[in-house]
Structures are given as C-alpha cells and as structure tokens.
Amino acid sequence: MQPRKKPNPVEQKDTRSSAVEAGTGNRPRGRGRGRTGLAIRSSRSAGPDSTNRIALLPLRSDVVFPQTVVPLIISRPSGIRLVDDVLISERLIGLASQLHPDVDDPGIADLYPTVCVGSVLKMLKFPDGSTRIVCQGQTRARLLRVVQTEPYLIAEVEPLEEELTEGVEVDALVHHVNRLFQRLVDQSQQIPEELQVAAMNTPEPGRLADLLASSLPFSVEERQVLLGEVNVRSRLERLGQYLARQLAIVELSTKIQEQVGSELSKAQRDHFLRQQIKAIQEELGEPESENPEVAELWERIRAAAPPAEVLKEAERELERLAGMHPSSAEYSIVRTYLDWLAILPWNNASRDRLDLRRARKILDEDHYDLEKIKERILEYLAVRKLKKDMKGPILCLAGPPGTGKTSLGKSIARALGREFVRVSLGGVHDEAEIRGHRRTYVAAMPGRIIQGIRKVGTNNPVFMLDEVDKLGADFRGDPSAALLEVLDPEQNMTFRDHYLDVDFDLSRVMFIATANMLESIPSPLLDRMEILQLPGYSEEEKVLIAQRYIIPKQLEAHGLTPADLEISELGIKRIIADYTREAGLRNLEREIAAVCRKAARRRAEGKRGVVTVGPGQLHELLGPSRFYRELADRTGIPGVATGLAWTPTGGEILFIEATGMPGKGQLTLTGLLGDSMRESAQAAMSYLKSHARVLELDSSRFNKTDVHIHVPAGAVPKDGPSAGVAIAAALISLFRDLPIREALAMTGEVTLTGRVLPVGGVREKVLAARRAGIRSLLIPRHNEKDLIELPADVKADLTFRLVDTLDDVVPRLFLGRGQKSRSKPEPIKPGSKRVVVEKSRAAVARPAPPESEVPGPATKPRRPRTV
C-alpha cells in the first residue's frame, strides 16, 4: 500500500525551531470505550509518502494503533508547541512510544522503531498548563532517523504495508482469538460492553487484532510487538498467546479469590493482592523481590549469635513475616517477637574482675561489718578464678528492713565488675510476670527475668530478686513456683520463657534474693537458695555507720558540707534511743535527713556558721521524743514478767501481765494472741498445778482463783511459743505474790514437763533487750551458740544465764528469797569458748535507753512473733 503524500507540518512557511520536545502523561489502563474503532478511516487514504518527514510526539507509556481513537495528555513544552503547529496544517503527527518512560528528552535511541502515524481530531487547553488532544491512528511506519530536534523532533519515516493472506488458517486464528476474548470477558468484570460490541462487528482480521491489542491490559512491550508486526497472520498468533496468558492470570486470580472468601477486611485484601502478585510472579517465572526489613532483621539475629534452635525458630518466623502486609495486626506481633530475639544478649557476657583485694576494698567502702556476706563473695571470686565455667550461686539475704540488703547487691555487682539489675517481687500474683505471656494474648511480652536480662545487655549480670518473701498466689498462678526453675542451677540453663518459647541460659547469672522473713517462702524455693542472715545493728554499730556513711551521704544530698553541720556522737545516740525503734538504719537516716533540711534552710536564709547538733538541740529540730522508757513503770508488780519477741523489723520486748480473782480456776487469755501463745499459757498453768509443792505454791488457790493473762498492745497480733518461760514466770510471781526482779527478761518454749526448748531470733531479741535497758537475760541452753556472734560491747553490757528447765528459771526470778534448783546449771569452765557472762549488778555497764513494746504513732503496727 502506498499512502497518499500529504504536506508535512514542518514544511510550512513557519520556520520557528526553538521549543523543547513534547511528551504525554500516563493514560489510565482499561481504555475500552464504545467509540474505539467505530470512526475509522482507511489507512490507504492518509499517511506520509515513502521516507517522508513528520513531527514526532514521544509517548511515555502508551502505544497507538491504526484505526483507533485515543486521548492523550501533553505536559512537555515541546509537545505543546508541536500540537500548536500541527493544528494549523493537516494535523498529521508521528506517535512514537518511549523505551524508558522516565526519560525527559528522548532521542531516536530512546524510541521504539515502529510508530503510528495519526491525526489530531480535537485539542483542549487546561488551566494547569497542560494540553489534551484526541488522536486517531491511521497507518504503521518505520522510524528511520531524526533530522531535527528543535523545537521538537522531526524524523524521516517509512510507511509499512499490511501483509494479509486470506485462507482457512487466518479464519481459524480469528475464531481462536474471538473465543479466548469471550472467555476473558466471562472471567473478568473489567472489560466494558462497548469493546465486546466493537469486536463482534469487526470482520477484518488486522483491524480486529489492532482493536484488541489497544484495548486489553497488555504491557507496552507486548503492544509494541503487535504494532510492529505487519503480517496479519503472525499478529493474530502473537495476540492469541497474549490472550491465553492473560486468561490464565484472570482464572488464577479468581481461584485465589474463591479460596480467601468473599468478606475480607482491609488487611486481608492487601494480603490477597500480594498473593495475587506472588502467583503471577510464579506463573511468569520471575523471582520474588526480597523485603529489606526482613533482611535487616535476619542480619541482626545472626549478629546476636543465638543457639541453633533459636536461629531455626527465627528463620521460620521471618518466612511468615515476609508474606504479611505491614498493616496487618499479625505483622506487628511477629516483628516485635523477632526484635526480642535480635536484642537479647545470647552470647554477650561482661568480664569478671577477679581481684580479691579490690573486691574487699569495695565491699568495705560501701558497708560496715557484714563479714559473713563479704567472705562469701570473696569465696565466690576465688572459685571463679580457678574454675571459669562455674555456675552462678543463688544467695538469699534475709534480715530486718533497713539493714542494707538491696544496696549490698549493688556493691556485689561493682566488686565483680558486672551489670546490676533489680526486680521487685513484692505483691506479684501473676505467674506470667516471671515466665512471660504467650504470644496469643494481646500485648504479650516476656517475663521480668528476660526483661531484666535485655535491659542490662549481658547474660551474666548480678540479678536481684527483691522482696521474694512477699510473693502472692491466686487464680492467676503461683509466681513462687515459677521461680523454682529460675533459681535452680541444674535447670536454669534451659529456662524457657512463654513469650520467647525457646531456651535461654541463666546459669551464668548471679541471683541474689532478699527477704525479711523466711517463714513465708515456700520450702522448695527456700531449698534452692543459700541463706545469709543480715542481723540488726547494735547501738554502737549504728553510731559508726551514721558517722561514716549516713551523715556524709545526707550532707551531699542536701548541698551541705561538714563546715555547715556537725552532729555529735551524743546527738546520734539520742536520735537512736528516743526517735527510732528499728533493727536497721532506715528511720535513722530519715531523722538525720530532717536535721540536714533544717540546716539547709538556715544556710539558704543567709545565716553562716556551723550548726552543732547535740542532745539539747534535738527537741527543737525533731520535736519531742517518740519513745520513752517504760521498763520501770511495768515491772516491780507481782504477776508481771518481761519477755522477748521477734518481728520482721527486728526484736522487741514483750510484757506478760497476770492477775487473779475469786472464781473456779478458769484461765482467760487476751491481747490478740495466736494459737501457739494460748497453748503455751495452758502448758505453763498445767506445769504449775502439777509442780505446786516443788514451786512452793498453795495448790488450793488454783481451784478458787480465776487467772487472767494479758499481753499489752492488744491491737497487735502476737503468736509463737517462745513466750512460754515469761508466761510461767508471770504466773509464779502472781501465786507467790512477789515481783520479779527488775531489768530481767527471758525467752524460751516450755513443755508440760518443764523443759525449756530453744527458740529463734536470739540476736534480734538480745539487741532489743539491751535497747530497753535490760541487764540480765534467761535463754535456753541450746541457744548458747547464737551468742557467739554477738558484738563484744553487747556481751559486756548483759548477763546471760542458760537454763534447761523451769527449775533453773525460778531461783533467778526473785530477789532475797530463792529456791534450790533440782538441776544446777553447768558451771563455766576456765578457757571455755562459751560467751555466757555472769556479773553482779554493780558491774553492769550503763544500760541503753529503753523502748516501748507498743508501736509509736509513726510506726506501722507489726505482728510480733515469739519464736
């Protein structure tokens, strides 16, 4: 076919050539309109002659076919200039598709070799500066060369004739294409009805191929192949291949949609679309693009060097993550889990400093005394120095509040050169707080053990489990049972947190637990720990600690120096005696802080000079004394005995009061006593009745006298068997009508046969007796071992008398009228290691200020346990 030669727009008299090349915007897909192919002119009646010149309009992502009408958006200045020039001529332009849409100034190397010559039917200009035209393709042409680039491209093109051979084979190809197109219409809802009508009414094979190629969603490369194919038979064969592939994609998409379901949320639709893309990529044999976020997570996990089991689990979760959309809820859960795996210190341990001298110096700097604990830490360092793979010990620091348990853990970590992490277990009732929550729960997270390990970033820190005796248990589980695996050196190397669901090695962690009382800790848990007792402090020890540690610390905390405030030793002793009642140092530190605040205010007001605080200034600074001596007021009356009690906050003295009245021998007990204390009173009364003659008591009075035993501080619960000796002494004093000697206290459990059994908490009871002004103590003989570790100044101020039975107790209760004991106490041999000291009253050192057994108004009521 030889097209009729038409005047070229560039051959007009207008010779302007300074504009920039034109371009087209991206036209939306699915352009099957009803007018497509209906207003077609014959390609024989229009187009350039052989090797004719024509203006080229580059198209970014469109391919125009002959006999089709398409809208185009022109935004480049050169393209707008080209359209303006073409509209004043015969409106013929060459529509050439770009190889790469992102090229702004294409040359001949950037264009496909086959173009479509078309005419501009309509042009509209818009306020945004762009121009929109409607073009109709007329004929194919081959691009030979570009002869002009300014103001737009002008090229020489050669028209291409269609090659059509009529026959049965072409008819079969047309039928095959129509059948595939009809199946595609049945499967897809995106093909407009106008395109179906146009295809049914297009008998010419070449025209039908161009119509379907321009209207169906083929790629630019596939359309350009169809445009460049001049042989109609070959064009139909290639079109059939493209239609078959498109039909397979649509059928696969429909199958996936049926499997997923009809009702999909937004996140599910996103996942569905991604599955479609994946299926299409697999069908085309294209590799799936790798998610950079997944690759980064994998590198972080590998850098953490976890065990092989953890790597396997992480790889499985990463595969799941790669198939999810970032907006889905499951995506964030899996991502958070993988972050935990990547950040945990699987193979990161701090290096121990195995210098024993340095460790001893640090421990002495931070804490006074506590020799047992310091020796235990030095022993651990020594063994660690000899055996590198030693498992971490499980220590439990038990003692009254304020004795330095928590701060001791920090000192241990500093001495070892390890990181320190503390977890408070007070009031924890949920087992998941220890083992973590399973990932199926909303806002699930690991337990406190794994959280603490992650916080410090090493797998061998000093891990303090504070207040382990205050764990609770309810319907959510028993946290103390969850600690059994954590605190067992033989099991914690494979500790499994519910959230991680993989093993984590805790064998290198040095666990330190703290507790005020051991009775509330379950036996299996207590059996896994090495108990180190932190006893209460004596008055002398408190004075030294206040001078060396507390006062310098509080001066620095309040912005003061020793030149601003000075607290004398007598002032410190007065604070200890009259303003605090405790085994530890917490209240003492508070009172010293109150004194420092007074001095800080004076300094802030501009007053200079040192403030010296002695006993005389405390009333003005701290107010009246909170505790007073009541020992003299309570004793000296028949039927009153002084006992000793132990509480979680230290020792206390306990007064036992007994009185008689005419009656029938009934026994009444008051003072909020527990079962053990009531049974001790009944046992003491039974012993008195059965041994009345030996005790020189009038047996006839027992049946005529009702006895009432009361323990003051009636609002405070009291329990324990160690008040048996004191109750028996009060009853003997009542029936003898003789007061018990002053400054005498006693402790011990009594049996029906009169034997005195050992009790616990002897050190705390002795310190409480000394604070209250007691000068002589009666204790069971089997508790003699508990006196060895008492401070020397405490033993020098007190007289200890060991007793085996109540017969040993009675002779020491009264003054001037003793009774012979059936079993004499064993004399103290020269050179004996016993610490029992007996002195006369004249040789007793000055007693410490007393304290009341009733908690003061600023003290929370405590439950004395006379154990």
Side-chain angles (χ1 to χ4, degrees):
M1 178 183 70
Q2 183 68 29
R4 179 171 52 90
K5 179 177 177 64
K6 294 188 177 182
N8 195 307
V10 299
E11 296 176 353
Q12 304 299 324
K13 293 182 179 181
D14 187 1
T15 58
R16 293 172 295 177
S17 58
S18 60
V20 185
E21 179 188 1
T24 64
N26 291 331
R27 182 169 58 86
R29 291 295 181 97
R31 56 176 186 275
R33 294 177 173 81
R35 294 186 297 275
T36 304
L38 297 181
I40 301 177
R41 294 182 298 170
S42 173
S43 63
R44 300 179 182 273
S45 62
D49 292 333
S50 178
T51 65
N52 196 7
R53 293 185 178 184
I54 192 169
L56 286 183
L57 180 64
L59 307 178
R60 291 185 187 272
S61 58
D62 283 290
V63 179
V64 181
F65 286 83
Q67 310 306 321
T68 61
V69 179
V70 295
L72 299 175
I73 300 175
I74 304 175
S75 59
R76 284 187 278 208
S78 59
I80 296 174
R81 175 72 177 275
L82 183 151
V83 172
D84 293 339
D85 291 346
V86 164
L87 288 176
I88 63 177
S89 63
E90 293 193 8
R91 302 190 173 191
L92 285 179
I93 58 174
L95 302 171
S97 301
Q98 295 182 197
L99 290 169
H100 304 289
D102 54 347
V103 177
D104 291 330
D105 297 319
I108 190 172
D110 301 315
L111 302 175
Y112 281 100
T114 304
V115 301
C116 179
V117 178
S119 62
V120 180
L121 302 180
K122 184 182 294 186
M123 185 270 290
L124 293 174
K125 291 184 178 293
F126 284 81
D128 60 355
S130 64
T131 299
R132 302 189 182 186
I133 63 174
V134 177
C135 292
Q136 182 179 16
Q138 294 184 4
T139 185
R140 290 174 170 81
R142 180 181 294 110
L143 181 62
L144 299 179
R145 63 180 176 274
V146 175
V147 297
Q148 182 177 328
T149 59
E150 298 294 341
Y152 39 76
L153 293 178
I154 298 177
E156 288 187 355
V157 296
E158 177 185 1
L160 298 175
E161 287 277 354
E162 274 192 352
E163 300 176 4
L164 175 61
T165 303
E166 297 183 354
V168 177
E169 188 174 356
V170 174
D171 295 339
L173 287 172
V174 171
H175 177 72
H176 175 63
V177 167
N178 283 326
R179 185 169 57 83
L180 289 175
F181 176 68
Q182 188 60 42
R183 287 178 57 189
L184 186 62
V185 170
D186 296 339
Q187 292 288 338
S188 175
Q189 304 296 327
Q190 306 298 324
I191 300 177
E193 185 178 358
E194 292 86 350
L195 179 60
Q196 304 176 40
V197 174
M200 292 175 61
N201 294 277
T202 305
E204 294 88 349
R207 184 177 172 187
L208 174 65
D210 291 344
L211 173 64
L212 296 181
S214 65
S215 303
L216 293 178
F218 298 139
S219 65
V220 174
E221 292 79 4
E222 293 170 343
R223 290 180 181 180
Q224 195 67 42
V225 170
L226 293 174
L227 178 65
E229 187 61 65
V230 296
N231 189 291
V232 176
R233 175 177 172 275
S234 301
R235 193 187 310 161
L236 288 172
E237 289 178 350
R238 187 65 60 90
L239 178 63
Q241 296 174 4
Y242 293 161
L243 281 173
R245 185 182 61 82
Q246 189 68 27
L247 179 62
I249 293 174
V250 173
E251 290 177 345
L252 181 60
S253 175
T254 304
K255 181 179 179 181
I256 295 175
Q257 187 173 6
E258 291 175 353
Q259 292 176 349
V260 174
S262 58
E263 296 182 0
L264 300 175
S265 64
K266 180 181 182 304
Q268 291 173 322
R269 285 197 302 272
D270 293 341
H271 176 70
F272 165 67
L273 294 175
R274 288 186 175 275
Q275 291 297 110
Q276 283 184 317
I277 295 173
K278 185 177 179 180
I280 293 170
Q281 289 175 338
E282 292 178 354
E283 190 72 19
L284 295 176
E286 298 178 357
E288 185 179 359
S289 59
E290 187 176 3
N291 190 342
E293 187 176 13
V294 174
E296 179 190 357
L297 275 174
W298 176 243
E299 290 300 324
R300 288 173 56 199
I301 293 174
R302 290 182 59 186
E309 176 193 359
V310 180
L311 278 176
K312 184 178 180 181
E313 180 69 16
E315 188 175 1
R316 188 177 68 86
E317 293 294 332
L318 281 168
E319 292 179 359
R320 291 183 57 207
L321 186 70
M324 298 179 186
H325 192 269
S327 63
S328 66
E330 186 71 15
Y331 183 92
S332 61
I333 294 175
V334 177
R335 171 61 195 269
T336 304
Y337 173 74
L338 291 172
D339 279 336
W340 274 97
L341 293 184
I343 204 171
L344 284 177
W346 300 96
N347 202 28
N348 182 28
S350 59
R351 185 176 180 181
D352 287 341
R353 297 183 180 179
L354 304 178
D355 187 349
L356 272 66
R357 293 183 179 179
R358 174 184 172 276
R360 179 73 191 200
K361 181 181 179 181
I362 291 176
L363 294 174
D364 288 339
E365 286 177 356
D366 294 344
H367 291 84
Y368 174 77
D369 197 18
L370 303 179
E371 290 299 325
K372 273 192 173 182
I373 289 88
K374 295 177 181 178
E375 289 297 326
R376 180 63 182 86
I377 301 305
L378 296 177
E379 290 170 2
Y380 170 75
L381 285 177
V383 177
R384 181 79 179 178
K385 191 172 185 178
L386 300 177
K387 186 174 176 58
K388 301 299 183 182
D389 58 346
M390 174 190 177
K391 297 178 181 178
I394 313 296
L395 305 179
C396 180
L397 306 179
T403 52
K405 299 184 295 297
T406 303
S407 60
L408 185 61
K410 297 180 181 178
S411 299
I412 293 174
R414 193 159 72 95
L416 294 176
R418 294 189 180 188
E419 298 292 334
F420 176 77
V421 57
R422 172 186 168 272
V423 172
S424 179
L425 301 180
V428 173
H429 288 77
D430 194 352
E431 178 189 355
E433 293 286 337
I434 306 298
R435 285 189 172 274
H437 301 78
R438 298 192 183 277
R439 279 178 284 159
T440 53
Y441 296 103
V442 177
M445 60 190 308
R448 297 194 180 191
I449 304 299
I450 296 298
Q451 290 183 40
I453 296 293
R454 175 206 172 189
K455 180 180 178 181
V456 295
T458 60
N459 60 10
N460 64 336
V462 174
F463 203 116
M464 173 159 283
L465 302 173
D466 215 359
E467 310 293 351
V468 72
D469 58 325
K470 296 176 179 60
L471 284 170
D474 57 13
F475 64 93
R476 290 167 290 187
D478 186 1
S480 63
L483 283 176
L484 293 178
E485 181 183 5
V486 176
L487 299 182
D488 192 337
E490 300 299 328
Q491 300 180 24
N492 60 11
M493 65 180 63
T494 57
F495 173 72
R496 184 172 287 251
D497 187 274
H498 286 163
Y499 181 83
L500 297 181
D501 202 24
V502 291
D503 292 342
F504 191 90
D505 188 4
L506 298 177
S507 61
R508 303 183 66 182
V509 179
M510 184 175 184
F511 286 102
I512 299 178
T514 68
N516 296 133
M517 53 190 304
L518 302 178
E519 287 78 4
S520 59
I521 303 178
S523 299
L525 182 60
L526 191 63
D527 183 63
R528 284 165 167 76
M529 299 185 291
E530 179 181 348
I531 308 300
L532 297 177
Q533 291 285 348
L534 273 75
Y537 295 102
S538 65
E539 180 180 339
E540 287 75 16
E541 291 173 335
K542 289 183 179 181
V543 171
L544 288 174
I545 294 173
Q547 292 174 337
R548 297 181 185 179
Y549 302 98
I550 298 178
I551 293 178
K553 174 184 174 183
Q554 292 301 323
L555 288 176
E556 181 181 358
H558 291 82
L560 301 174
T561 64
D564 299 320
L565 175 64
E566 179 182 346
I567 304 177
S568 66
E569 181 176 345
L570 292 177
I572 297 174
K573 290 183 178 180
R574 183 69 179 274
I575 294 175
I576 295 171
D578 293 352
Y579 294 91
T580 64
R581 178 199 288 177
E582 58 178 346
L585 301 164
R586 195 162 289 153
N587 289 327
L588 176 60
E589 187 168 1
R590 290 194 186 101
E591 299 302 329
I592 293 176
V595 174
C596 292
R597 289 195 298 270
K598 304 292 184 182
R601 177 180 175 182
R602 182 179 181 277
R603 178 68 183 273
E605 291 175 349
K607 299 178 181 179
R608 300 293 179 179
V610 62
V611 178
T612 304
V613 178
Q617 289 76 34
L618 292 178
H619 182 83
E620 178 184 354
L621 297 174
L622 301 178
S625 301
R626 297 187 180 92
F627 306 103
Y628 62 95
R629 182 191 299 268
E630 62 176 349
L631 185 62
D633 299 337
R634 293 292 185 93
T635 57
I637 303 173
V640 178
T642 305
L644 298 175
W646 177 90
T647 70
T649 60
E652 292 183 2
I653 62 171
L654 199 67
F655 295 103
I656 310 294
E657 299 179 350
T659 185
M661 62 203 76
K664 298 180 180 180
Q666 295 182 354
L667 178 62
T668 303
L669 302 172
T670 58
L672 208 57
L673 308 182
D675 292 338
S676 297
M677 207 163 181
R678 289 177 174 272
E679 292 171 358
S680 296
Q682 293 170 357
M685 179 61 76
S686 298
Y687 179 80
L688 263 63
K689 290 180 180 180
S690 61
H691 295 76
R693 180 177 299 178
V694 177
L695 298 174
E696 298 181 0
L697 303 178
D698 186 2
S699 59
S700 61
R701 294 182 58 187
F702 291 114
N703 297 327
K704 301 176 183 180
T705 305
D706 289 343
V707 178
H708 184 178
I709 299 177
H710 176 71
V711 182
V716 181
K718 312 166 190 70
D719 198 7
S722 66
V725 172
I727 293 174
L731 291 175
I732 294 173
S733 173
L734 173 67
F735 285 102
R736 284 194 176 186
D737 198 21
L738 291 175
I740 297 177
R741 57 192 294 186
E742 294 181 1
L744 173 66
M746 59 207 75
T747 185
E749 180 181 356
V750 172
T751 67
L752 284 176
T753 60
R755 292 183 56 82
V756 179
L757 302 182
V759 293
V762 173
R763 178 186 172 97
E764 286 73 20
K765 293 177 181 180
V766 170
L767 294 177
R770 182 171 180 261
R771 289 196 301 267
I774 300 296
R775 295 191 291 268
S776 181
L777 290 175
L778 302 180
I779 65 172
R781 184 175 298 276
H782 292 289
N783 286 117
E784 181 182 357
K785 62 182 183 301
D786 299 317
L787 305 177
I788 298 176
E789 297 180 0
L790 285 174
D793 50 2
V794 174
K795 291 187 287 188
D797 286 351
L798 297 173
T799 300
F800 299 94
R801 302 182 185 275
L802 306 180
V803 294
D804 291 308
T805 64
L806 282 179
D807 293 343
D808 301 332
V809 174
V810 175
R812 295 172 172 83
L813 294 179
F814 310 105
L815 290 174
R817 181 187 174 184
Q819 290 183 337
K820 295 182 179 181
S821 174
R822 291 186 297 175
S823 59
K824 297 182 180 179
E826 181 181 351
I828 303 174
K829 301 178 181 179
S832 174
K833 294 183 180 180
R834 288 189 181 180
V835 296
V836 181
V837 181
E838 297 200 7
K839 297 182 178 182
S840 64
R841 293 183 60 186
V844 176
R846 178 181 58 82
E851 65 183 87
S852 172
E853 81 283 8
V854 182
T859 306
K860 184 178 178 180
R862 300 184 294 267
R863 178 188 180 106
R865 292 180 54 86
T866 53
V867 296

